[in-house]
Amino acid sequence: MEGNFAGKENRSEMIEKVIRTHADMIYRIAYQNTGNYDDAEDILQEVSIALITKNAPLHDEEYLKRWLVRVTVNKCRDMHRHRKRLKTEPLEEHTDKAAETKSEIWEELFSLPEKYRIVLYLYYYENFTIKDIALTLKKSVNTVSSDLQRARKKLKILITEEEDRDENKQTDKSDGSRKGTA
Amino acid sequence: MKINKLTKAMEAVKAPHDAVDKAVKAALEADKRRKQPKLITGQKIRRFVSVAAACAVLAAGITAGQVYHQNKNSDITGNNADTGSNSHSFSLLVNAAEITEDEKIGLSEIDFTGVNSLGMNAYSSKQKLTNETIETVTPEGEIWNRPVHVFRMQYRLYPVVEIPIVCKGNGIKSVTYKVNGAYLKANRKLKLLSEGTEEGPHEVDYYDLVDLYTEKNRDTKYDPNESLEALMNGLTDYSYDYDHDEWEKEWKLREAIRDPDDKRTLEEKLKERYYYTYKSMTVSYEEQLKCVEVDEKDLVPYGRKTYDPAQEKEIRGSVAAIALLPSFSPELAKDELTKEAQEYMEGIPSGGSYGKFIEGKEHTDYWEALFNAYRSQIENVSLEVTVHFDDGTDEGYILELIPGERKNYSYYDRYDNRIKVQTIMIDVVVRKKNDQ
């Protein structure tokens, strides 16, 4: 886990540090959930405020990260729910920012249901264990496992290709070292 | 981190610096506000002043009726409404209604984005109801012989009817909100097709008939754009408290309802919903930011954002009666809608938004059916607010909802899309409990 927030820093510094440390994570979760950069920014702000208003566990780093993930996911749900009632047209497609990063991979990712996306993200990017994910999202371990499995199947190409290559490299290395020692 | 295309794509997404700066700033400001709840500036002061003025007049008005009735004492002291008791003072502010001695009833000039955190209830900013109108909406005549007040609100045809209430004064221990006459018609078709989402057009929402909540987030940020949307969209779709499992329960319920293998009745399924069974809730000032007990169940009060700072010794609550609608699904609505209305529903690709219009066509039957459904649901509901004082005494008020006429309404969203909605006028009759 990043950073130790339980030091002697004053409260403002601590809050700022927490936000800056986890901003990317919150933003990514929000983006992969909403598919919209502006919404992701809004959610980042909402979550930051929630840190204060909801008495976030600032001193418990491990719990804090899970807390942030959960709050972010719930904020996204709030937003979806809100949007259902009011049709709006996102303007994002017209921005350069969207064009830069909205790759085919993201398009494929967005074709998955949200529950798969968050599991994929936490597992592959944040290195959460399945148990951690289950704890964070308040789901059973079995549910998370099956979600992950289904998500993997659908995105098999994306998540295996370079991973395999990476593993192959490691295998080559270890083979080489074994040969060396032999 | 495992390296693959997926994680690389994720890596490329980073929070912009200015967004992070903004988030930090917002959090620090929230922290500051939390430490200094009374500190309000600029626009907030203006808004608050207008809200406070409206509320004060209403407080004086309600108390005026009360004093007039109880003590024949018309000594009204303006903002600090006094019931005549030495041990406590009390005022009940019901939304934007303005009741004064001279002009018996009307609606105050309200700040639309400020005081009414739920929109669609502003009849018109300056429009006053006349005595003639009052007579048509009250169930009995001679209303001024007893402390009865009537005001009119406008709601979207939407399954939420909410009456924001603020209890304020000295010596208040707690406030109980209760809903009377509300019931679940389990034998009715309860489906309401939503406006459709990207995930699928036929998502179905289910609503409880009765819901109660208190506001929890008292010091959140104020954003005029967001608040305007919130105004237009009712209470259930905005800012749920994430500290509890409500969402999970709700999703489980939805899945259960849609599960063809689940053979339970709809009523049985609905009973599992988290806040289905309760009809009353007591909230004390100290408890507003904590969990409250509701019919022996732990419930974290949930609510939406507040847009104006809560004041000391003020107990906020909103009583929300959520009307169930009959189904407007083409398959299920055959016995409830005329042929024209059914065709209209079938013609909507997203599956039945009641907020949509087909170009060039008037679908009177559809709106009429929806409107009548609302009427029939709302006219059975009354709300009860009881204020418990430290000295052991209580004061209770009954708010009776009387559905009125249907009206068109339109507004512009943040992207300048003109949104047309159908609304229903609801008159609220307020009377003291003991005077019924």
Side-chain angles (χ1 to χ4, degrees):
Chain A
M1 291 280 181
E2 306 92 329
N4 180 6
F5 305 122
K8 291 181 180 177
E9 301 150 300
N10 70 39
R11 185 174 164 80
S12 299
E13 285 172 355
M14 186 189 292
I15 291 164
E16 183 168 355
K17 192 169 179 181
V18 167
I19 295 170
R20 292 197 185 281
T21 305
H22 295 288
D24 283 344
M25 180 187 78
I26 297 166
Y27 187 77
R28 281 185 196 117
I29 293 173
Y31 176 68
Q32 59 92 12
N33 191 301
T34 62
N36 184 309
Y37 289 108
D38 294 328
D39 288 345
E41 284 183 24
D42 285 349
I43 284 167
L44 172 62
Q45 195 168 332
E46 297 252 343
V47 174
S48 303
I49 291 170
L51 270 173
I52 308 302
T53 58
K54 299 293 175 186
N55 288 327
L58 294 175
H59 295 278
D60 184 342
E61 293 162 40
E62 198 174 333
Y63 182 57
L64 175 65
K65 190 167 180 179
R66 286 212 305 270
W67 187 93
L68 286 168
V69 171
R70 184 158 175 74
V71 170
T72 308
V73 169
N74 283 323
K75 288 284 179 195
C76 294
R77 284 175 178 170
D78 282 347
M79 185 168 277
H80 283 308
R81 191 168 188 164
H82 173 60
R83 288 283 155 80
K84 275 200 303 187
R85 307 282 154 77
L86 184 65
K87 289 274 183 186
T88 55
E89 201 61 41
L91 302 173
E92 184 206 326
E93 294 299 333
H94 304 293
T95 65
D96 295 338
K97 187 169 56 172
E100 280 171 19
T101 52
K102 203 157 188 176
S103 61
E104 286 177 10
I105 297 170
W106 276 107
E107 278 176 22
E108 283 197 50
L109 203 59
F110 285 134
S111 70
L112 294 176
E114 187 271 327
K115 61 179 180 179
Y116 293 164
R117 295 201 295 265
I118 183 68
V119 170
L120 276 175
Y121 173 76
L122 293 178
Y123 185 79
Y124 280 100
Y125 196 86
E126 295 294 342
N127 282 337
F128 275 45
T129 63
I130 290 176
K131 197 178 167 187
D132 279 343
I133 297 172
L135 208 60
T136 306
L137 300 180
K138 293 196 177 175
K139 288 181 173 179
S140 73
V141 172
N142 289 340
T143 306
V144 173
S145 297
S146 60
D147 282 353
L148 188 59
Q149 204 171 357
R150 284 173 194 154
R152 274 173 177 155
K153 268 186 189 172
K154 294 195 176 188
L155 288 182
K156 199 174 179 183
I157 301 169
L158 295 182
I159 60 179
T160 54
E161 198 176 324
E162 294 196 16
E163 196 172 33
D164 288 348
R165 204 184 300 159
D166 204 43
E167 279 172 12
N168 288 339
K169 277 180 191 170
Q170 284 182 351
T171 316
D172 291 345
K173 273 185 189 174
S174 55
D175 284 351
S177 60
R178 270 185 223 137
K179 279 174 193 171
T181 43
Chain B
M1 184 176 70
K2 299 168 180 66
I3 304 297
N4 52 40
K5 282 185 182 175
L6 182 71
T7 52
K8 277 183 179 175
M10 284 168 173
E11 180 70 30
V13 175
K14 286 186 175 169
H17 291 304
D18 57 338
V20 179
D21 290 343
K22 255 194 265 180
V24 169
K25 196 178 166 194
L28 294 177
E29 277 175 7
D31 194 42
K32 202 174 165 187
R33 275 204 306 275
R34 200 179 194 197
K35 289 173 190 162
Q36 299 171 315
K38 288 179 184 173
L39 188 66
I40 51 175
T41 54
Q43 189 188 4
K44 280 190 176 177
I45 288 179
R46 285 196 297 279
R47 187 173 65 252
F48 181 72
V49 166
S50 86
V51 169
C55 290
V57 175
L58 170 61
I62 288 181
T63 309
Q66 184 179 319
V67 171
Y68 175 78
H69 180 73
Q70 286 182 331
N71 305 327
K72 305 296 179 190
N73 176 4
S74 59
D75 181 19
I76 300 163
T77 54
N79 294 355
N80 186 17
D82 193 331
T83 59
S85 164
N86 291 329
S87 58
H88 60 252
S89 67
F90 161 66
S91 65
L92 179 67
L93 318 175
V94 186
N95 201 16
E98 175 187 279
I99 304 161
T100 65
E101 200 176 25
D102 296 334
E103 194 167 13
K104 297 293 183 187
I105 191 160
L107 288 166
S108 60
E109 184 173 356
I110 58 168
D111 181 333
F112 199 66
T113 57
V115 65
N116 285 306
S117 42
L118 177 71
M120 307 313 300
N121 48 9
Y123 178 50
S124 173
S125 62
K126 290 180 181 175
Q127 196 159 356
K128 304 286 183 189
L129 299 179
T130 64
N131 281 343
E132 194 180 341
T133 313
I134 292 167
E135 282 174 10
T136 63
V137 299
T138 48
E140 298 165 31
E142 299 179 353
I143 60 167
W144 301 117
N145 292 331
R146 50 200 167 91
V148 172
H149 309 286
V150 187
F151 58 94
R152 175 165 289 190
M153 305 198 292
Q154 185 173 12
Y155 283 93
R156 192 173 181 172
L157 286 186
Y158 195 76
V160 177
V161 175
E162 185 218 22
I163 317 288
I165 296 167
V166 177
C167 296
K168 196 173 177 180
N170 296 317
I172 298 175
K173 186 181 174 188
S174 62
V175 181
T176 300
Y177 304 99
K178 192 177 175 187
V179 180
N180 298 316
Y183 53 94
L184 178 70
K185 290 182 178 177
N187 59 340
R188 290 191 71 155
K189 294 153 189 164
L190 305 179
K191 288 189 176 183
L192 168 68
L193 293 180
S194 74
E195 294 181 10
T197 65
E198 289 176 7
E199 290 173 0
H202 291 287
E203 186 166 343
V204 181
D205 282 336
Y206 294 83
Y207 294 94
D208 293 334
L209 181 60
V210 178
D211 204 351
L212 297 171
Y213 72 99
T214 60
E215 292 180 349
K216 187 179 179 190
N217 304 339
R218 289 152 57 97
D219 267 332
T220 51
K221 66 170 182 170
Y222 171 74
D223 180 334
N225 293 323
E226 283 191 16
S227 74
L228 187 62
E229 287 192 1
L231 287 175
M232 301 301 175
N233 281 281
L235 77 97
T236 57
D237 56 345
Y238 211 71
S239 192
Y240 269 71
D241 183 353
Y242 42 76
D243 288 340
H244 59 75
D245 295 338
E246 185 176 290
W247 260 104
E248 279 70 14
K249 286 175 187 287
E250 175 143 349
W251 287 113
K252 275 183 187 168
L253 172 70
R254 290 182 184 199
E255 283 169 13
I257 286 170
R258 282 184 283 195
D259 183 359
D261 298 327
D262 192 336
K263 301 298 181 195
R264 289 174 300 162
T265 65
L266 185 58
E267 187 176 17
E268 285 170 338
K269 291 174 184 175
L270 282 171
K271 277 182 178 172
E272 284 189 357
R273 187 161 166 168
Y274 192 44
Y275 45 86
Y276 164 67
T277 52
Y278 68 84
K279 285 186 178 179
S280 70
M281 174 165 65
T282 300
V283 186
S284 69
Y285 178 72
E286 289 74 18
E287 283 175 333
Q288 279 188 110
L289 300 178
K290 298 177 189 171
C291 297
V292 293
E293 284 285 314
V294 178
D295 289 354
E296 299 178 348
K297 288 185 177 184
D298 282 331
L299 176 80
V300 178
Y302 68 95
R304 56 184 193 284
K305 294 176 180 182
T306 58
Y307 300 108
D308 54 321
Q311 299 302 293
E312 276 188 48
K313 286 297 171 192
E314 178 179 282
I315 296 184
R316 292 173 181 222
S318 288
V319 182
I322 301 182
L324 286 170
L325 299 179
S327 168
F328 285 88
S329 154
E331 300 84 35
L332 297 173
K334 283 174 186 165
D335 57 336
E336 296 184 35
L337 294 174
T338 63
K339 193 182 170 192
E340 187 191 347
Q342 286 176 43
E343 283 172 357
Y344 168 63
M345 294 304 301
E346 283 162 0
I348 297 176
S350 67
S353 159
Y354 43 80
K356 288 189 175 179
F357 291 80
I358 289 181
E359 200 174 340
K361 285 188 83 177
E362 291 291 333
H363 297 279
T364 318
D365 285 357
Y366 169 69
W367 293 113
E368 200 59 36
L370 188 60
F371 175 71
N372 289 335
Y374 261 94
R375 283 191 66 97
S376 67
Q377 296 291 347
I378 291 165
E379 64 193 2
N380 294 309
V381 176
S382 69
L383 315 167
E384 194 175 318
V385 181
T386 309
V387 186
H388 312 279
F389 298 100
D390 290 333
D391 60 10
T393 57
D394 293 344
E395 279 187 29
Y397 287 84
I398 302 287
L399 283 70
E400 191 177 339
L401 307 187
I402 301 174
E405 61 189 316
R406 179 159 61 99
K407 285 199 169 195
N408 294 324
Y409 181 84
S410 68
Y411 68 99
Y412 289 89
D413 68 6
R414 68 161 83 171
Y415 303 114
D416 273 349
N417 298 316
R418 185 157 179 251
I419 309 293
K420 294 178 187 173
V421 292
Q422 295 273 327
T423 62
I424 183 170
M425 307 306 295
I426 297 175
D427 295 304
V428 181
V429 179
V430 185
R431 60 166 61 93
K432 266 184 75 72
K433 195 176 171 186
N434 298 335
D435 295 318
Q436 273 195 322

